[in-house]
Each structure stands twice: as C-alpha cells, then as structure tokens.
C-alpha cells in the first residue's frame, strides 16, 4: 500500500496475482522488471535495493501506482496483547509516555507501521488485509507500543527508515502461530479438532499462522520481534520446545538465513488460579533461548 517500507536488500520480491498469461511490468527508482503471470495467475519479480537511497519513490505495477514508498529495514512484530497493545493504551491501562509519543509522531517521517487485520483460517492463505501507515497523531495512537518504540530507537541510532509489520492477536497461544504439521511433530494432540471447535478464535492452534503470518512469507524483512506467552502459562512445560521449533520454522519459511529473533520475557502478573505461575513460563523462555 501507499507509505510502504521495502528492505534495503539485494533481492526484494514484488509479487501478486494477475490474469493467467498477463504481462506484468514493475518499475521502481529507475529499475524496470518484466514477467508474465503463470497459469495460476501468480507472478513475481525481484528488485535489487542494496544500494538504493531511502526515497520516497513510487512503485508502479502496470497501471497501479503505490506512492510514498521508502527503503530501509522491515521487522515482523508478532505475539499476543503484549505486542498488540497500542500507544493509546487500553481502558484504564495507559502506556507510559504514550500521549507524548503520539503528539510528536509527525516528526518521524521515516517510521512506518503496517497493521495486519485479525484473521483466523484453517488452511494457509495467500492474501491478508492490512495497510502501511505513516506517522501522525491520527495513526500513531493505533501503532503497537512495543513495535513503535523499537522502531523509534532503531531509527534514531541507525538513521535509516524503519518499518514494523504488526501481526498479532491478543490472548493468542504460541500454537496459534505454528503450522499443523509442526504442531503434530511436537505431539500437540487434535490440532484440526481444536482449531475447528475452540470457540475463542485466539485460543485455536494454527489459525493465526494460516490466516495472518503465512501470507507475509515473501515480504523481505530484517528479523522478528516476539512478545507472547501469557496465554501459555497454564501449560508452561511445553513452551521452550514450541518456541524454539517456531523460530526454526519461521526462519525456514522466509528463506533469508538465520534472521534475528528478539523476544521479551512476559511481565510479572497475578496469573490465577495460583498454580499458573508466570515465573515458570519465563524460565521456559530462557530455556528456549539456550535451545535456539
């Protein structure tokens, strides 16, 4: 969409769907790539943006013009409400410094955040709803506080554009962000049944992976940010195995090598009933780091 951030990399795919056999011409900052859509309508070209200035530029795909596109680093930001929580906070739950960051956001023209819409799916999808948003008070109030403050710091230190793709769902379990086949390998029982029968969309295995994460796999990123675990306190003993396996799978899915994966230990909280002790989950998070 307009205001997108593309990665400063040698291989940056631009991809989509068209009529089978249709010629597709992609233009970006004096680069021009052509291809023909396959029988299934899918097409893809690669841009070389390794030496690209930050822009902004226009990205043209046939008669479609995407405006105000900049080049820098892109991070995928995922998890549950810890990652989803916006700068404006929740009811009676403000973000420290959030109001000031919202008011001053227009000064950060080279920070962009994409919000991926919540979508659960029983099978892997190819398309997801979402849009890139530029920094201004109207938009910044909706940005993930964790993703935005990370982008703010990176932008300040590196002096390059930073984009954060926020792909998160409050209350979701780690199993919701992993594919069926991997969960079955890990011994997760009844994946399809639980995905179909669990009434809470955010409590279902594999459905966030299928509906929100999988469609993003071709978008070139710098790494992952992960803030999740509160919903897995009850079954903390599985978490290290699950998170370490998820990291390996995500890296393989993107095919960009050993991408950085940064995660936050969950905050202290009164997890009731009392047998649900958050510190045991934090111990598992530390163990997963050692396993990775």
């Amino acid at each position: 969409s307009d205001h997108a951030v593309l990665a400063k990399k040698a291989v940056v795919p631009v991809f989509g769907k068209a009529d089978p056999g249709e010629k597709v011409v992609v233009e970006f900052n004096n680069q021009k790539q052509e291809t023909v859509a396959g029988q299934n309508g899918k097409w893809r070209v690669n841009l070389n943006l390794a030496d690209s200035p930050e822009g902004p530029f226009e990205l043209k795909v046939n008669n479609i013009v995407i405006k105000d596109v900049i080049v820098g680093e892109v991070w995928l930001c995922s998890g549950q409400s810890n990652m989803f929580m916006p700068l404006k906070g929740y009811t009676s739950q403000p973000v420290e410094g959030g109001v000031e960051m919202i008011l001053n956001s227009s000064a950060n023209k080279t920070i962009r955040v994409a919000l991926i819409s919540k979508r659960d799916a029983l099978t892997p999808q190819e398309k997801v709803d979402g849009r890139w948003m530029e920094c201004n008070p109207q938009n910044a109030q909706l940005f993930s506080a964790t993703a935005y403050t990370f982008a703010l710091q990176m932008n300040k230190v590196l002096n390059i554009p930073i984009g954060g793709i926020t792909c998160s769902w409050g209350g979701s379990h780690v199993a919701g962000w992993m594919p069926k086949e991997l969960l079955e390998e890990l011994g997760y029982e009844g994946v399809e049944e639980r995905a179909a029968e669990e009434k809470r969309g955010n409590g279902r295995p594999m459905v966030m992976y299928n509906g929100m994460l999988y469609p993003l796999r071709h978008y070139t990123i710098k790494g992952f940010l992960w803030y999740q675990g509160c919903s897995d306190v009850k079954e903390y003993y599985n978490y290290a195995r699950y998170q370490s396996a998820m990291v390996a799978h995500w890296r393989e899915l993107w095919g960009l090598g050993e991408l950085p994966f940064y995660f936050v230990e969950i905050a202290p909280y009164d997890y009731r009933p009392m047998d649900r002790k958050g510190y045991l989950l934090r111990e598992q998070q530390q163990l997963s780091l050692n396993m990775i």
Side-chain angles (χ1 to χ4, degrees):
S1 69
D2 290 350
H3 317 302
V5 182
L6 297 181
K8 192 178 178 70
K9 294 277 190 178
V11 179
V12 179
V14 178
F15 52 94
K17 293 198 71 174
D19 292 331
E22 181 181 354
K23 181 180 179 180
V24 178
V25 180
V26 177
E27 299 178 78
F28 185 79
N29 186 27
N30 299 320
Q31 291 191 51
K32 185 175 181 180
Q33 300 287 346
E34 298 181 6
T35 189
V36 175
Q39 292 184 347
N40 58 4
K42 293 182 180 181
W43 60 267
R44 169 175 168 167
V45 300
N46 293 325
L47 298 175
N48 183 350
L49 304 183
D51 299 317
S52 174
E54 66 180 47
F57 305 106
E58 288 185 345
L59 174 64
K60 298 179 181 179
V61 182
N62 288 3
N63 61 343
I64 299 171
V65 179
I66 300 171
K67 300 177 181 179
D68 189 31
V69 178
I70 57 178
V71 179
E73 284 189 359
V74 182
W75 291 80
L76 180 75
C77 312
S78 189
Q80 55 181 115
S81 60
N82 316 60
M83 181 63 77
F84 185 84
M85 187 176 190
L87 276 176
K88 67 178 182 179
Y90 297 135
T91 302
S92 300
Q93 296 176 332
V95 172
E96 183 176 357
V99 172
E100 183 177 358
M101 284 189 282
I102 292 170
L103 292 175
N104 294 328
S105 58
S106 292
N108 303 310
K109 298 298 185 184
T110 57
I111 295 177
R112 312 284 173 83
V113 173
L115 299 180
I116 302 302
S117 300
K118 295 177 182 177
R119 183 184 185 187
D120 53 343
L122 295 176
T123 57
Q125 303 297 302
E126 290 294 334
K127 188 177 179 181
V128 72
D129 293 327
R131 63 187 178 97
W132 283 97
M133 297 192 294
E134 58 184 339
C135 272
N136 58 49
Q138 182 178 2
N139 291 335
Q141 62 177 323
L142 305 175
F143 292 170
S144 157
T146 300
Y148 181 71
T149 52
F150 175 85
L152 201 62
Q153 185 70 16
M154 295 289 281
N155 179 260
K156 179 180 178 181
V157 172
L158 301 178
N159 193 30
I160 60 173
I162 302 291
I165 302 176
T166 306
C167 178
S168 55
W169 191 327
S172 58
H173 293 250
V174 65
W177 299 99
M178 301 165 69
K180 171 190 170 185
E181 295 77 16
L182 180 56
L183 289 170
E184 290 177 340
E185 287 178 16
L186 293 169
Y188 190 104
E189 297 181 357
V191 178
E192 290 186 334
E193 293 79 3
R194 292 179 68 173
E197 297 171 5
E198 171 63 51
K199 294 181 180 179
R200 293 186 307 114
N202 55 4
R204 301 159 68 192
M206 78 173 179
V207 296
M208 273 74 71
Y209 173 87
N210 288 335
M212 298 171 66
L213 186 87
Y214 185 81
L216 303 174
R217 67 195 184 280
H218 296 311
Y219 206 105
T220 304
I221 60 174
K222 176 69 175 182
F224 306 101
L225 306 183
W226 176 248
Y227 196 176
Q228 189 276 339
C230 304
S231 292
D232 290 287
V233 167
K234 183 179 180 181
E235 297 180 350
Y236 67 89
Y237 41 82
N238 287 320
Y239 198 83
R241 291 193 307 118
Y242 281 31
Q243 177 166 290
S244 57
M246 185 190 77
V247 171
H249 176 77
W250 284 14
R251 286 171 166 171
E252 181 181 4
L253 184 66
W254 258 263
L256 297 173
E258 197 172 85
L259 287 174
F261 183 94
Y262 295 114
F263 66 93
V264 186
E265 287 190 346
I266 61 170
Y269 182 76
D270 183 14
Y271 294 99
R272 295 178 184 242
M274 294 307 292
D275 61 335
R276 303 182 184 181
K277 298 179 174 67
Y279 58 79
L280 293 172
L281 193 285
R282 286 193 291 275
E283 184 179 58
Q284 286 283 308
Q285 290 180 303
Q286 178 64 44
L287 180 60
S288 76
L289 177 62
N290 298 336
M291 294 168 68
I292 295 168

